[in-house]
């Protein structure tokens, strides 16, 4: 069985407060976009190793046991010990540490795939609970529709944002942003409005009202990111912002737009 986890962009990201458990309360809009990984699971009856792992595409550093796909399998295997041993392969196309939620998407899609493949009969609410144990972004990918998110990102409300009249450009310069470092640079502040209300504005008004708290500290640390944003703005994007804690910037363009862009060849660039 094969699934194709897609990534997301954040339309606005505000840090509301730090919680007693060390996490942060935030508000954001998650919007799914069509850059995808691929995950395959094949049963291996009689195999002594619960998960035989392989990976291709973009290289993932670190031990395979740290991969969220394997952790998702282990999480369900603990509660459903009759789940069989498997071969699991990940084809990685979504850049790492980029603010696109690729690892979270992979894990959430593994949960959904295992639920279907092994007949676990878990509800969406139960899958969201499992997903939250893997990461704050993971619950969104269980729903995988435009959502207004609060709490750690797990309190999700589907909202009617439709960008099908536009095309989206993703630009990632290969700078890996540590999420913990990024959060340490934020001082939560009270806002007079929320992004859910602002998202009802025309898209061409978002630039003046919808912002990402992480942009300033991340750009201060990596000034070359300011050039990415400015070039996208200068190419007449309807809206541009950084996704998550970076370092990916995206631009929303009219579908008929033919922007002239000149990014270094080593930058990841993708229209979705």
């Amino acid at each position: 069985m094969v699934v194709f986890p897609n990534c997301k962009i954040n339309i606005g990201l505000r840090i509301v407060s730090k919680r007693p458990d060390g996490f942060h309360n935030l508000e954001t809009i998650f919007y799914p976009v069509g850059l995808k990984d691929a995950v395959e699971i094949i049963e291996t009856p009689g195999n002594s190793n619960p998960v035989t792992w392989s990976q291709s595409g973009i290289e993932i550093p670190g031990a395979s046991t740290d991969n969220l796909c394997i952790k998702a399998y282990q999480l369900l295997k603990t509660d459903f010990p009759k789940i069989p041993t498997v071969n699991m392969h990940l084809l990685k196309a979504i850049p790492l540490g980029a603010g696109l939620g690729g690892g979270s998407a992979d894990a959430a899609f593994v949960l959904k795939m295992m639920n279907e493949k092994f007949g676990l009969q878990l509800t969406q609410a139960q899958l969201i609970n499992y997903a939250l144990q893997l990461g704050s972004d993971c619950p969104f990918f269980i729903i995988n529709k435009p959502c207004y998110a609060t709490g750690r990102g797990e309190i999700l409300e589907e909202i009617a944002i439709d960008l099908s009249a536009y095309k989206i450009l993703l630009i990632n310069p290969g700078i890996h942003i540590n999420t913990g470092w990024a959060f340490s640079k934020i001082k939560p502040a009270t806002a007079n409005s929320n992004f859910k209300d602002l998202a009802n504005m025309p898209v061409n008004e978002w630039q003046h009202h919808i912002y990402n708290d992480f942009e300033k500290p991340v750009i201060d640390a990596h000034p070359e990111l300011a050039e990415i944003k400015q070039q996208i703005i200068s190419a007449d994007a309807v809206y541009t912002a950084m996704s998550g804690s970076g370092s990916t910037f995206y631009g929303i363009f009219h579908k008929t737009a033919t922007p002239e862009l000149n990014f270094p060849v080593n930058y990841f660039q993708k229209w979705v």
Side-chain angles (χ1 to χ4, degrees):
M1 187 173 186
V2 182
V3 292
F4 299 94
N6 58 273
C7 66
K8 56 77 180 171
I9 55 173
N10 295 83
I11 302 173
L13 177 51
R14 184 170 71 89
I15 308 306
V16 177
S17 61
K18 188 166 184 178
R19 300 154 47 122
D21 60 8
F23 291 99
H24 290 76
N25 289 313
L26 55 83
E27 72 158 345
T28 189
I29 293 170
F30 289 124
Y31 192 88
V33 294
L35 174 60
K36 299 178 180 181
D37 291 338
V39 183
E40 181 179 35
I41 288 180
I42 300 173
E43 292 183 46
T44 56
N47 195 332
S48 59
N49 189 5
V51 181
T52 302
W53 171 258
S54 58
Q55 189 260 318
S56 59
I58 297 173
E59 183 179 356
I60 302 175
S64 61
T65 51
D66 293 332
N67 191 278
L68 286 177
C69 292
I70 294 178
K71 291 184 175 182
Y73 172 89
Q74 293 169 334
L75 189 62
L76 291 184
K77 178 75 170 175
T78 299
D79 289 348
F80 299 91
K82 292 185 178 179
I83 289 174
T85 58
V86 300
N87 284 335
M88 188 181 300
H89 183 82
L90 169 64
L91 172 59
K92 193 70 185 164
I94 301 170
L96 309 175
L100 297 172
S104 297
D106 296 339
F109 272 68
V110 166
L111 292 176
K112 292 192 288 186
M113 175 166 48
M114 290 177 64
N115 187 43
E116 179 181 349
K117 183 174 180 65
F118 302 126
L120 306 183
Q121 299 183 335
L122 294 168
T123 65
Q124 184 180 83
Q126 289 173 312
L127 286 168
I128 286 173
N129 183 59
Y130 279 114
L132 185 59
Q133 297 176 57
L134 297 168
S136 297
D137 283 354
C138 290
F140 161 70
F141 290 102
I142 299 297
I143 298 174
N144 207 31
K145 296 177 182 178
C147 285
Y148 175 67
T150 54
R152 286 172 50 188
E154 86 283 9
I155 302 171
L156 298 159
E157 178 185 349
E158 291 186 38
I159 57 174
I161 291 182
D162 181 7
L163 297 178
S164 60
Y166 302 91
K167 56 185 178 181
I168 300 172
L169 175 67
L170 305 176
I171 299 290
N172 182 272
I175 297 172
H176 190 289
I177 304 298
N178 180 280
T179 303
W181 170 86
F183 272 102
S184 74
K185 300 298 180 182
I186 301 296
K187 293 182 179 179
T190 302
N192 296 322
S193 59
N194 67 48
F195 293 144
K196 178 184 173 184
D197 295 332
L198 294 173
N200 292 322
M201 294 179 172
V203 178
N204 60 8
E205 295 183 19
W206 288 359
Q207 198 71 58
H208 304 292
H209 301 281
I210 301 179
Y211 54 90
N212 181 340
D213 278 348
F214 289 112
E215 271 196 29
K216 185 180 187 308
V218 171
I219 287 176
D220 286 347
H222 302 280
E224 59 269 43
L225 297 178
E227 169 59 27
I228 295 176
K229 183 174 183 179
Q230 187 54 53
Q231 189 173 158
I232 296 173
I233 291 172
S234 297
D236 293 328
V238 179
Y239 177 72
T240 185
M242 193 174 75
S243 186
S245 56
S247 60
T248 299
F249 276 79
Y250 65 89
I252 299 175
F253 292 83
H254 290 290
K255 277 197 170 177
T256 56
T258 56
E260 294 185 10
L261 300 162
N262 185 29
F263 293 107
V265 294
N266 61 308
Y267 282 16
F268 176 90
Q269 305 178 46
K270 183 72 173 179
W271 288 99
V272 292

